[in-house]
Amino acid sequence: DGGGPHTYMAEPSDIVLIAATGAESLTDEIGGILGIPPAAIDAEDADGETHLRLPCNVRLRDTYVVACLGGAGVNRFFVELSLIVSGLRRASAARITAVLPYYAYGRQARKHTSRVPISAADVASLLEEMGVDGVLTLDLHKEEIAGFFSPRCHFASASCQPAAARYLHTQRQLRRPVVVAPHASGVTLAKAFFDSLAELHASGDGGSRFASPRAGAAPTLAMLLPHKASGSERRHLELIGEVRGQDAIIVDDIIDSGKTIARCSEALLEAGAARVFAVATHGIFSEESLRIIAVSDVTTVVVTNSVPFSVPRDHPVRRKLVVLSAAPVLAHQVAKLARLPPPSLDQMAATFPMTGSFFDQRRSRQLGRSSSSGVVSPLRERAQALHLRAYQEEIGVGGAEGNISDEAEMGSEGSRDADRDADLHADLEACMVDLASCSGPPRSAHDLASLSSG
């Protein structure tokens, strides 16, 4: 991806960023970082069929399509993606890259029994047959999926684990953290999270007013393995490592049913863990998963917005759920592929402070459409304004530690308004501190409030 003195650097005007259905909000955040106004597909369903039209001229331009292929509508979204790629090919796009934060069917990467497809490989073949020139994704369930693509299709997988590690390190005052792999196949991902956390600990990087001046003990590793005792039908979780008196962090790539998180947190607390946190890149949250997590012993669950989902306003899981934006990681990768001047990760961390944010699915789509017409300069102010406006209109975001909470909805109407104003003021002050690390003059809380309301 370049690096020599004569490497060609593209201009944002050479790049087209397109949002598929369900990915409008995430695409808008990526565009805000890169300085590229994203375009939403004009799609409508008639008689069960999808009719769409490309929103702009793509002739001989480098095109990136952001599609969230996860949840209940994965098959419909996949068909829409194929139609978008077909339209781009027929419109003479120079290069087409599918940005898939979640790789659909990634858990079906091998044959578990006879007469079954290897669906992850079939998805790779379908993407190439569509005419996709490259695929960008996050935290694959199985690393061998990269080998399902031929050399003519560029494939890249980035990780959100460093962002999640920074959030827990700076916002939760971890006491003697121990990173736990919930199963044998999750050791590699847990080790990556452990390395990020250990690096933050060694550097003494607090990065937040919530970080303790005393870093405490360095993080350690542990693993849980299912074990079936003789004469018993029940499978127990055997702990390899020590967690007594420590903050345990369960690291996985996907949270689907929530049962793994619940079982592991119970086993860790029985082993003497002080608190249990859970980290996953992709929150599928199918069936009764939210209820299972809400009644489990886990303290906080950290996921990203790689898969769109919504939580009822009065659901108790809001107290535990923290949603980080995957946009900085994806924007950094898109900038490298498109040969744009890459934004620094530190600058993106200041633009999107890792304090957790939650977007209701319907509201986030409205925000994405309303703000996708252009990019306000400087970009960090525009991106920050998007988060602040979402906070004001969708008050599901929690207090100073950034978790989703229902406290603003308790009490009288006057009390709710007072709590809301106090929380917003605190967040604005925090934004001032974060923005101070970027170039340009600092903004006051009043200026930021005016910007967000505009």
Side-chain angles (χ1 to χ4, degrees), residues 66-364:
V66 183
C68 295
L69 304 181
V74 55
N75 295 329
R76 181 171 65 88
F77 294 150
F78 193 83
V79 170
E80 181 185 278
L81 174 62
S82 67
L83 297 178
I84 293 173
V85 172
S86 174
L88 292 172
R89 276 284 170 234
R90 297 172 190 276
S92 303
R95 185 174 67 164
I96 304 170
T97 302
V99 181
L100 310 177
Y102 174 68
Y103 188 91
Y105 293 92
R107 287 176 284 183
Q108 303 180 42
R110 63 186 181 92
K111 293 186 68 172
H112 296 277
T113 184
S114 59
R115 300 185 298 277
V116 296
I118 304 178
S119 302
D122 297 331
V123 168
S125 299
L126 289 171
L127 288 170
E128 291 198 54
E129 289 298 323
M130 290 176 191
V132 168
D133 298 302
V135 174
L136 171 61
T137 188
L138 296 174
D139 287 317
L140 286 171
H141 185 69
K142 298 290 185 181
E143 292 299 327
E144 57 262 32
I145 292 175
F148 294 153
F149 290 86
S150 69
R152 66 182 178 87
C153 182
H154 175 77
F155 183 86
S157 176
S159 178
C160 288
Q161 298 302 318
R166 176 177 289 273
Y167 169 78
L168 288 177
H169 177 74
T170 59
Q171 305 294 325
R172 294 296 176 176
Q173 290 185 309
L174 297 174
R175 298 184 293 270
R176 299 176 61 207
V178 52
V179 180
V180 181
H183 40 73
S185 60
V187 172
T188 301
L189 194 63
K191 181 61 167 59
F193 184 93
F194 167 82
D195 291 340
S196 298
L197 197 61
E199 183 179 353
L200 290 170
H201 179 274
S203 64
D205 184 6
S208 168
R209 64 183 185 278
F210 301 112
S212 173
R214 300 184 181 91
T220 56
L221 266 173
M223 181 173 59
L224 288 169
L225 290 177
H227 174 70
K228 186 175 180 180
S230 59
S232 174
E233 293 298 327
R234 184 179 177 184
R235 297 175 69 88
H236 299 276
L237 290 175
E238 180 181 357
L239 176 64
I240 301 176
E242 180 58 46
V243 299
R244 185 170 300 279
Q246 298 177 258
D247 284 343
I249 306 171
I250 304 169
V251 178
D252 210 347
D253 61 323
I254 299 171
I255 297 180
D256 189 352
S257 66
K259 294 178 181 179
T260 299
I261 299 297
R263 286 196 301 264
C264 291
S265 60
E266 181 182 1
L268 291 170
L269 289 176
E270 289 178 354
R275 294 183 296 177
V276 178
F277 300 89
V279 173
T281 301
H282 313 293
I284 304 296
F285 299 121
S286 61
E287 300 174 353
E288 295 293 314
S289 58
L290 295 178
R291 181 190 61 81
I292 293 174
I293 293 173
V295 301
S296 70
D297 298 316
V298 67
T299 301
T300 302
V301 176
V302 181
V303 296
T304 73
N305 58 348
S306 63
V307 178
F309 66 93
S310 61
V311 178
R313 181 179 292 274
D314 58 347
H315 202 289
V317 79
R318 281 177 175 262
R319 300 188 185 94
K320 297 184 176 184
L321 195 59
V322 172
V323 183
L324 304 182
S325 175
V329 178
L330 291 171
H332 188 77
Q333 295 296 320
V334 169
K336 291 200 301 183
L337 292 175
R339 297 188 180 275
L340 292 170
S344 69
L345 292 177
D346 291 337
Q347 196 170 25
M348 288 189 293
T351 305
F352 289 87
M354 294 301 180
T355 54
S357 58
F358 178 79
F359 295 93
D360 176 77
Q361 175 69 8
R362 179 176 54 82
R363 176 63 68 184
S364 65

Side-chain angles (χ1 to χ4, degrees), residues 14 16 56-63 88 90-94:
D14 300 330
V16 178
C56 57
N57 180 20
V58 298
R59 183 178 297 276
L60 301 180
R61 300 175 72 184
D62 197 1
T63 307
L88 292 172
R90 297 172 190 276
S92 303

